[in-house]
Amino acid sequence: MDQQKPRLRNEIPIVPLRDTVVFPSSMVPITVGRPKVKLGLDSAWANDRLAVFVAQKNPRIENPAPNDIYSVGTVGLIRRLWKVDSEYNLAVEGLTRVYLKEFSQIDPYVAVKVEEIPELSQKTEETEALFRNTLAKIKRYGELGGVLTLESSIHIFSTDDPNQLVNIVAASIDLKTSDKQQILEMVDTKARLQRLSELLTREIRILEISSKIDTETQERVGKVTKEAILREKMKSIEKELGEDEDTREIAEFRKKIREAGMPDDVREKADRELSRLAKMSSYNPESSYIRTYLEWLVDLPWKIKDHKKADVEFAAKVLDEDHYGLPKVKERILEYLAVHKLVGKIRGPILCFYGPPGVGKTSIGKSIARALDRKFIRVSLGGIHDEAEIRGHRRTYVGALPGRIIQGIKNASTKNPVFMLDEIDKIGTDFRGDPSSALLEALDPEQNNQFSDHYLEVPYDLSDVMFITTANVLDTIPPALRDRLEIINFAGYTEEEKFHIAKRFLVPKQVEAHGLSSKNVEISDAALREIIAKYTREAGVRELEREIAAVLRKVAKKVAAKAKEKKIKISPKMLRSYLGAQKFSKAIAETKDEIGMSTGLAVTGAGGEILFIEVTLMPGKGQLILTGQLGEVMKESAQAALSYVKSRAKILGLPENFAQKTDIHIHVPEGAVPKDGPSAGIAITTALVSAITKIPARKEVGMTGEVTLRGRVLEIGGLKEKVLAAHRAGLTTIICPKANAKDLDEIPKNVRRDLQFIFAEHMDEVLKVALTRALPKEKSSEKTAKEKKSSQEFPVSQPAV
């Protein structure tokens, strides 16, 4: 490297380099594959073996133009050149830095005219200090593990030329291409030393941080290794002394398994898993899974149960204390408990409390648990889509757990709790399985003594558990599951029942919840009845409780503002200031008899509702238009009603072809709410006849019943809910199928006193009551024998029941 530099030619081939900078006094290996550059190297090799090696600004450019390379490079002597396949491998020695003055040739290879950059070095005290500082940093760089070849180290510590030192160090250490090019282009020796010192300082800082991380990692690994070794030694010592911690854990598990009272097959399974755990190292990841599994097995109540027998009288007292009304429901529950007391175990159907929201289904389950002095477990099934929620996950999955039934049993710590499966009608189904199918085994008294949970992998006896389910609708419960349930219907409350519930339960509960007492506030009976009648219209009492809470919030505000405020008595006149304007009217929606409108009765998930049927006639082509988001069954009822009217055209005083030039539009208001079912048949027929004959329908009459093409009125369901809705709406007369007369006993006496019931077998009987005046008589006044018989056996005018 110290030999005399050769004389430079006027034009020298150029070699563009990717991410490489060649410095004087350095030896660099280079690989070349670009055809044009190889031609230039051939020319250089044939002459003086000199070429200009220059870094590209953007290494991605395949054929760089003059603007794509830096303006300063290094003339290098090609010491060796050998060809491998289509590439040239070079050993290049950097000689001197040069400016690229002019690109004198582009083809067949690129050549440039250059001007040599003189190496100006004036030795001053400052330069000497920078020189020594750089050498010290190089030494520190090497101590920290920085990469320096032996040859580079020898040259670095043997030279006394600052520029040569900068060139060798910059070529040897790992720097960015832009930083190396910056040093190459700098002319002033002092500036070059300062820049190199800055870059070395940065590299040393990075190496120190890396060294610190390595040290901490080694210390941490060493500590863990040391602990592991010591732990193994402790195990050996404890084993010799008979005090091994793992041995104690195994012994403790073995004791718990023996005392848990497991069946023989379950105990065998637990012993096998315990043997596996005993043979495993504590560092085996599977050991934690086995330990968790064994904990579940020993924590389950295999033989622990509440032995207190059902006291029917005490249960009746508890049910009356906790719930007002519901006599049929309470009677059925007491029968259930009486059989349980005599037999000791019930293998009959599972109870399903069915009814609208807010009628006390969940709370009565708690009362049953209190009456039996058992633990109460409630699991909400609403929105569950995964079968594993019921049966658990298999142990092969990370984070696997038993299903909700087994989890509930464990939390109860007894094998015979009262277990409520809430919202069983809201279970979903998707690609993860069908949870309702998983419930079939749990809710079948003939099978649940061998209930299989995927996580436990052993049968568990659920026959002692008293399962109770709740639902708002029955249609969404799969038939196979519904077949295992005994449905107990929770109908809506009457206004009288709501009044007593509010007075006995809701008002005291909300008074206490709002920090008040009987000394601060009193809600009069008249005010309570006003809230029930004019601010709520629901089957249950949740909205009523919210309205009571709204009143008491405002009272609490007044009491808090004036600590010495006198007792506030809430009267009906004050309700407007507390709750605003009345939300509902006691009277029915229609104030007068209307042509083409009748009042039907329906049952929804929230209880009974009244349903207005509207019919209008228009000139047209005999089309039947149905609107109001009607279901398929309700549309068929409308078709049947129209067919019946057409078949009775003569009786109605209409031409036989009246429908050919008339479009009939049937609409059921509240179009955003889906409606379906056949029970609106007689209401649709009445509205249709009213519109055609121009005879108004009576506004105070509500009706429900399915109609056939021959005009027969068929039995329907949900009569109690429908009648209660009619009573709430202020109707006075109810027309229903004669076959439903048997359901009248379910309706509260005070409601029956306020209503007149008309039981009809044929549509003709319905129309005589529902319309304000009689239909035109048929031209032939003779009646069929069947019609005469019907009139004699079922007179239209009936007294109120």
Side-chain angles (χ1 to χ4, degrees):
M1 289 185 181
D2 294 331
Q3 67 182 14
Q4 188 176 359
K5 298 174 183 175
R7 185 178 178 181
L8 303 181
R9 284 185 290 147
N10 189 33
E11 293 183 352
I12 305 177
I14 187 170
V15 180
L17 301 175
R18 293 184 174 99
D19 294 326
T20 302
V21 178
V22 177
F23 284 87
S25 305
S26 64
M27 188 71 74
V28 183
I30 296 173
T31 300
V32 176
R34 289 180 273 202
K36 218 175 208 185
V37 179
K38 289 193 291 184
L39 289 174
L41 289 172
D42 289 337
S43 174
W45 185 258
N47 291 294
D48 54 7
R49 300 187 182 184
L50 296 179
V52 181
F53 296 88
V54 190
Q56 292 181 201
K57 295 177 181 178
N58 185 352
R60 295 187 181 89
I61 298 175
E62 181 63 26
N63 296 306
N67 292 331
D68 296 325
I69 59 178
Y70 289 103
S71 60
V72 176
T74 301
V75 173
L77 176 63
I78 305 172
R79 290 290 186 182
R80 292 185 61 190
L81 185 152
W82 64 98
K83 302 176 182 178
V84 179
D85 296 330
S86 60
E87 294 180 340
Y88 286 5
N89 292 328
L90 314 177
V92 177
E93 179 187 343
L95 299 180
T96 183
R97 298 180 292 160
V98 294
Y99 292 117
L100 307 187
K101 300 295 290 182
E102 181 185 347
F103 283 78
S104 58
Q105 179 179 316
I106 301 298
D107 291 315
Y109 59 85
V110 180
V112 294
K113 293 180 179 180
V114 298
E115 179 184 340
E116 187 175 353
I117 300 175
E119 301 288 352
L120 302 176
S121 178
Q122 293 182 351
K123 289 192 176 182
T124 63
E125 290 180 355
E126 190 173 1
T127 305
E128 183 64 24
L130 286 169
F131 182 84
R132 293 181 183 181
N133 180 263
T134 302
L135 286 175
K137 289 183 177 179
I138 285 292
K139 186 177 180 181
R140 178 61 178 160
Y141 178 82
E143 290 173 351
L144 290 171
V147 179
L148 281 174
T149 63
L150 178 62
E151 185 180 2
S152 298
S153 300
I154 293 172
H155 285 300
I156 288 169
F157 290 103
S158 62
T159 184
D160 59 355
D161 183 355
N163 276 314
Q164 191 177 34
L165 175 68
V166 172
N167 291 334
I168 296 171
V169 173
S172 300
I173 65 176
D174 186 17
L175 297 175
K176 294 179 181 178
T177 302
S178 58
D179 292 333
K180 287 187 175 185
Q181 184 65 31
Q182 183 186 17
I183 294 175
L184 184 71
E185 293 177 358
M186 297 172 77
V187 177
D188 184 62
T189 304
K190 176 184 170 184
R192 298 185 80 201
L193 283 168
Q194 285 177 336
R195 181 59 181 155
L196 180 62
S197 180
E198 291 172 2
L199 294 172
L200 280 170
T201 302
R202 186 187 69 185
E203 292 298 317
I204 289 170
R205 189 180 302 114
I206 293 172
L207 288 171
E208 286 176 343
I209 294 171
S210 177
S211 177
K212 182 181 178 183
I213 293 172
D214 290 342
T215 302
E216 290 175 352
T217 303
Q218 289 177 3
E219 288 178 354
R220 196 158 48 244
V221 172
K223 184 179 179 182
V224 172
T225 306
K226 181 181 177 182
E227 288 178 355
I229 294 171
L230 291 174
R231 200 171 282 114
E232 288 299 324
K233 287 183 178 179
M234 286 177 62
K235 281 185 180 180
S236 300
I237 295 170
E238 288 174 347
K239 193 173 290 185
E240 290 293 328
L241 297 173
E243 298 176 356
D244 186 6
E245 182 180 348
D246 286 350
T247 303
R248 288 199 301 271
E249 182 187 36
I250 299 300
E252 187 177 345
F253 267 127
R254 186 165 283 114
K255 179 182 178 183
K256 288 182 178 179
I257 291 172
R258 188 171 59 252
E259 295 175 351
M262 302 176 183
D264 294 341
D265 54 340
V266 179
R267 188 170 62 253
E268 289 176 6
K269 172 76 172 175
D271 288 337
R272 285 197 302 270
E273 294 295 327
L274 186 60
S275 298
R276 288 182 60 203
L277 179 63
K279 296 173 184 177
M280 278 185 185
S281 167
S282 58
Y283 300 107
N284 191 328
E286 193 176 354
S287 64
S288 63
Y289 302 149
I290 297 177
R291 191 174 289 107
T292 304
Y293 174 73
L294 288 172
E295 287 172 354
W296 272 99
L297 282 182
V298 298
D299 288 345
L300 280 174
W302 295 95
K303 64 177 182 179
I304 301 172
K305 64 167 69 174
D306 297 321
H307 293 283
K308 184 176 179 180
K309 288 191 176 182
D311 186 336
V312 179
E313 292 183 2
F314 176 71
K317 181 181 177 182
V318 168
L319 292 176
D320 287 336
E321 285 178 357
D322 294 349
H323 295 82
Y324 181 85
L326 305 175
K328 294 270 185 183
V329 175
K330 292 178 180 177
E331 182 182 359
R332 180 62 189 91
I333 292 172
L334 293 175
E335 291 170 357
Y336 188 92
L337 298 179
V339 175
H340 187 277
K341 177 180 180 180
L342 296 175
V343 177
K345 179 184 288 189
I346 294 221
R347 303 188 71 86
I350 306 297
L351 297 182
C352 176
F353 298 158
Y354 153 68
V359 294
K361 300 185 296 296
T362 304
S363 60
I364 206 166
K366 295 179 182 178
S367 298
I368 292 173
R370 188 161 79 91
L372 291 173
D373 196 20
R374 291 191 188 181
K375 297 285 183 64
F376 178 75
I377 301 296
R378 175 186 168 273
V379 172
S380 178
L381 302 181
I384 287 181
H385 289 77
D386 191 352
E387 181 194 0
E389 293 282 348
I390 306 297
R391 283 190 177 275
H393 298 83
R394 299 192 183 277
R395 285 198 290 151
T396 52
Y397 296 104
V398 176
L401 285 173
R404 294 197 180 191
I405 293 178
I406 295 297
Q407 290 184 39
I409 297 294
K410 180 191 172 186
N411 293 336
S413 300
T414 176
K415 65 178 298 186
N416 63 340
V418 174
F419 204 120
M420 174 164 281
L421 299 171
D422 216 359
E423 312 292 357
I424 198 172
D425 56 322
K426 297 174 181 61
I427 296 177
T429 302
D430 63 10
F431 63 94
R432 290 168 290 184
D434 183 2
S436 61
S437 297
L439 283 173
L440 294 178
E441 180 183 4
L443 299 183
D444 190 341
E446 301 298 326
Q447 302 178 32
N448 62 8
N449 60 336
Q450 292 285 314
F451 176 71
S452 175
D453 186 277
H454 292 325
Y455 181 82
L456 293 184
E457 298 176 347
V458 292
Y460 188 85
D461 185 4
L462 297 177
S463 60
D464 291 321
V465 178
M466 182 176 182
F467 283 107
I468 299 173
T469 64
T470 71
N472 296 129
V473 294
L474 298 177
D475 299 339
T476 56
I477 302 177
L481 181 58
R482 185 173 171 179
D483 183 59
R484 288 162 169 77
L485 306 176
E486 178 174 347
I487 310 298
I488 297 180
N489 187 15
F490 280 61
Y493 293 114
T494 65
E495 290 188 2
E496 189 65 24
E497 288 174 331
K498 289 182 181 180
F499 169 75
H500 288 288
I501 291 171
K503 194 169 181 65
R504 288 175 53 180
F505 302 106
L506 303 184
V507 172
K509 174 184 173 184
Q510 290 300 322
V511 165
E512 182 181 355
H514 288 79
L516 301 170
S517 68
S518 57
K519 298 178 181 178
N520 304 120
V521 63
E522 179 185 343
I523 302 179
S524 68
D525 292 354
L528 271 181
R529 294 184 186 277
E530 186 88 356
I531 294 173
I532 294 168
K534 298 182 179 179
Y535 288 92
T536 65
R537 182 156 292 172
E538 58 176 341
V541 291
R542 283 184 183 153
E543 184 63 28
L544 174 59
E545 186 172 10
R546 282 192 284 268
E547 296 295 336
I548 293 171
V551 172
L552 294 176
R553 279 197 302 271
K554 291 179 171 56
V555 173
K557 181 182 175 183
K558 290 183 178 181
V559 172
K562 297 180 181 179
K564 295 183 179 179
E565 180 75 23
K566 293 182 179 179
K567 184 175 183 179
I568 299 175
K569 296 183 178 181
I570 309 298
S571 64
K573 292 181 180 180
M574 300 170 64
L575 290 179
R576 186 177 183 86
S577 62
Y578 284 97
L579 299 177
Q582 296 176 1
K583 298 178 181 178
F584 302 99
S585 172
K586 179 67 177 175
I588 56 177
E590 296 301 321
T591 57
K592 63 178 182 178
D593 300 333
E594 293 280 352
I595 294 174
M597 175 177 282
S598 64
T599 305
L601 305 176
V603 176
T604 68
E609 294 288 343
I610 62 170
L611 208 64
F612 294 108
I613 313 292
E614 298 177 348
V615 177
T616 187
L617 307 179
M618 305 167 289
K621 298 180 180 180
Q623 293 184 345
L624 176 61
I625 305 168
L626 304 172
T627 56
Q629 205 172 349
L630 310 184
E632 290 299 321
V633 176
M634 201 165 184
K635 288 179 180 179
E636 291 174 1
S637 293
Q639 293 280 1
L642 180 58
S643 297
Y644 167 76
V645 171
K646 287 180 180 179
S647 68
R648 310 284 285 185
K650 287 184 179 181
I651 295 178
L652 302 176
L654 301 172
E656 293 184 0
N657 60 349
F658 80 96
Q660 295 178 4
K661 298 181 180 180
T662 304
D663 285 347
I664 300 174
H665 187 167
I666 300 177
H667 176 69
V668 183
E670 297 185 26
V673 181
K675 310 166 190 72
D676 205 0
S679 63
I682 65 173
I684 294 173
T685 307
T686 300
L688 195 56
V689 171
S690 173
I692 293 171
T693 61
K694 309 299 182 186
I695 301 175
R698 290 167 57 190
K699 64 180 183 299
E700 72 278 5
V701 175
M703 57 197 78
T704 178
E706 180 180 355
V707 68
T708 68
L709 293 176
R710 293 179 294 166
R712 292 179 57 214
V713 179
L714 303 184
E715 183 179 5
I716 47 84
L719 182 65
K720 180 179 179 181
E721 290 83 357
K722 294 175 181 179
V723 169
L724 292 178
H727 186 255
R728 285 196 298 268
L731 301 178
T732 59
T733 303
I734 305 297
I735 303 176
C736 55
K738 187 183 179 191
N740 283 103
K742 64 182 185 302
D743 300 324
L744 210 59
D745 293 339
E746 297 180 2
I747 300 169
K749 292 180 180 179
N750 63 314
V751 175
R752 282 185 282 174
R753 282 196 300 270
D754 296 339
L755 296 174
Q756 180 184 14
F757 290 86
I758 305 297
F759 298 101
E761 262 194 327
H762 196 271
M763 195 63 219
D764 292 347
E765 303 169 23
V766 175
L767 295 175
K768 289 178 181 178
V769 177
L771 300 180
T772 56
R773 64 175 186 267
L775 292 170
K777 292 185 178 180
E778 194 176 355
K779 291 180 182 178
S780 174
S781 58
E782 297 179 0
K783 293 184 179 180
T784 63
K786 182 177 180 179
E787 288 175 332
K788 289 181 180 179
K789 183 178 180 182
S790 175
S791 299
Q792 292 170 0
E793 290 183 2
F794 309 110
V796 172
S797 179
Q798 297 186 28
V801 180

